[in-house]
Amino acid sequence: MINFALIKWVVKHLITKKKLEKTSFLKTAYTNLTNENLDNLIYYLKKISGKPLTVKCKRQNAFKILWHDKETKLLARCHVQNAAEYLDFIKENIKTEQLKTVVADISDYVQFLDSNEDTSFILISTNTQASAVQFDNAKRLFYNHQIREQYQNNYSTDLLTLYSIRLSLESRVRGLLGIDYAKSSGKNIGLSTLIKISKGLKSVQYSTETDWIEIEWVNNWLNHHMHRHIRPYPWIIHQALEVLKPFVDPKKPLINSDRTIYSFYSATYVIDENILKNEIELNLKELFPEVQIRWLNKREILKNK
């Protein structure tokens, strides 16, 4: 006579035992970086994060600085998918330190999505760095054009990267507007306002790949991390660079009627600079009636010839 109760117990026991056996995709890649282990990790991250999300969704959630509890799962999925994409992007030349940083940073999100994965080997990071270290980096960058070898890693340099990204974004926006600075009531008008002015301009033809909404996400995210001195996740830095690339460093030429034009500034094309200048001034005066503008001698913009 078949003892169905016994069979049911055995099956249940085996399933429970299997669940208790931790998987170790993170640990395996962390301790032994090989092409196979890296590919397995990327595949694993994609698998636990569910159905592929749209680029827009992944970026919007990556750059969020505030969110509600009900968004936690979606946020975790976005971070894990962005991390997988980043690893896939750098895997041909990845360094052990880069992989270890990603694994350490992503472990909490992995644990949220898959409690069966072993993350016990990860040391908790305070995500803080002594001001003396930052000062030493600044001195060595200025005087020696390099930093100490011991600080040449994601943990020490990623925060510095944000300042460079922010500088390039502000330089590009001010460059296309042709504004050195703008003041109202003695106070400087900030980049966030200048971005809003830029995206509403009618006299500039922007590249179809320029996405002002995403650029605003990146700017808010940059401000948040820079003001709080928080080291960002490397996969979000990657997304920030991808967002800004078509605007700041476009690789595609501008095709205008019968002309193909190659330029650093092909993302921004203007037919009449005088019309553009008047539009900028009018838009600023609507927001700041007493605005004072100091114009640059030359714009970072592709002009009709």
Side-chain angles (χ1 to χ4, degrees):
M1 182 177 178
I2 301 175
N3 190 335
F4 289 102
L6 178 60
I7 292 175
K8 185 176 180 181
W9 180 86
V10 171
V11 171
K12 182 178 180 181
H13 176 73
L14 290 174
I15 292 173
T16 303
K17 183 179 178 182
K18 186 175 181 180
K19 287 182 178 179
L20 291 175
E21 293 175 353
K22 293 280 189 179
T23 56
S24 57
F25 292 98
L26 294 178
K27 186 176 182 178
T28 300
Y30 187 94
T31 56
N32 183 24
L33 177 55
T34 65
N35 290 337
E36 181 181 0
N37 290 342
L38 180 58
D39 285 339
N40 288 340
L41 175 59
I42 293 171
Y43 173 79
Y44 167 73
L45 293 176
K46 290 179 179 179
K47 184 178 179 181
I48 65 168
S49 58
K51 183 179 178 181
L53 299 164
T54 64
V55 173
K56 200 82 171 177
C57 177
K58 288 187 291 185
R59 286 178 177 170
Q60 182 179 18
N61 284 281
F63 295 125
K64 275 186 177 178
I65 56 178
L66 293 171
W67 56 87
H68 300 290
D69 289 343
K70 63 181 181 181
E71 299 174 294
T72 302
K73 184 173 182 180
L74 177 60
L75 194 72
R77 291 179 60 205
C78 289
H79 278 302
V80 171
Q81 289 190 19
N82 281 325
E85 181 181 328
Y86 168 64
L87 289 175
D88 204 32
F89 183 83
I90 65 170
K91 70 178 183 179
E92 297 301 324
N93 299 296
I94 192 171
K95 297 177 181 178
T96 301
E97 176 270 325
Q98 289 176 300
L99 185 278
K100 287 186 174 182
T101 299
V102 171
V103 170
D105 284 343
I106 203 65
S107 59
D108 283 345
Y109 296 109
V110 169
Q111 185 65 207
F112 178 82
L113 295 174
D114 180 19
S115 59
N116 202 45
E117 175 70 8
D118 180 18
T119 60
S120 61
F121 67 99
I122 299 293
L123 296 176
I124 296 176
S125 169
T126 59
N127 201 22
T128 59
Q129 192 172 64
S131 55
V133 173
Q134 298 285 12
F135 188 66
D136 183 74
N137 285 343
K139 286 193 301 180
R140 289 174 182 273
L141 279 172
F142 180 68
Y143 293 116
N144 305 327
H145 307 147
Q146 61 183 6
I147 62 177
R148 290 180 189 268
E149 186 174 351
Q150 69 196 75
Y151 297 148
Q152 294 175 17
N153 53 64
N154 286 92
Y155 195 83
S156 298
T157 62
D158 282 356
L159 183 57
L160 290 176
T161 304
L162 297 193
Y163 292 89
S164 297
I165 296 174
R166 177 60 162 68
L167 178 62
S168 65
L169 174 58
E170 182 160 10
S171 176
R172 185 69 177 96
V173 171
R174 290 182 181 275
L176 83 89
L177 293 175
I179 290 178
D180 181 7
Y181 64 81
K183 291 185 175 182
S184 178
S185 302
K187 296 181 179 179
N188 284 321
I189 295 171
L191 178 59
S192 296
T193 300
L194 296 180
I195 288 176
K196 290 178 181 177
I197 294 292
S198 299
K199 74 175 184 178
L201 294 174
K202 307 298 183 185
S203 51
V204 178
Q205 177 185 325
Y206 291 111
S207 163
T208 56
E209 295 183 338
T210 299
D211 191 321
W212 284 105
I213 292 176
E214 292 190 353
I215 289 173
E216 287 183 308
W217 292 344
V218 171
N219 183 52
N220 290 335
W221 171 80
L222 286 169
N223 289 337
H224 176 74
H225 281 74
M226 288 166 60
H227 291 156
R228 293 188 60 199
H229 310 289
I230 303 172
R231 182 184 62 86
Y233 296 133
W235 58 86
I236 310 185
I237 296 178
H238 170 66
Q239 287 299 331
L241 292 170
E242 290 294 297
V243 168
L244 297 181
K245 192 185 299 180
F247 176 59
V248 180
D249 186 28
K251 300 300 181 183
K252 291 186 177 181
L254 174 71
I255 300 176
N256 188 44
S257 63
D258 60 340
R259 298 173 62 203
T260 301
I261 308 170
Y262 293 87
S263 170
F264 282 125
Y265 312 134
S266 61
T268 51
Y269 175 72
V270 64
I271 294 177
D272 190 319
E273 274 201 271
N274 289 324
I275 294 176
L276 171 59
K277 183 177 180 180
N278 290 336
E279 184 183 8
I280 294 168
E281 194 165 9
L282 178 63
N283 290 349
L284 278 171
K285 284 185 175 180
E286 286 182 358
L287 296 174
F288 309 97
E290 303 301 321
V291 67
Q292 295 176 303
I293 305 171
R294 181 183 176 89
W295 300 97
L296 294 170
N297 293 325
K298 186 178 180 181
R299 283 190 174 83
E300 285 191 359
I301 201 162
L302 183 60
K303 291 170 282 191
N304 181 47
K305 293 182 180 180

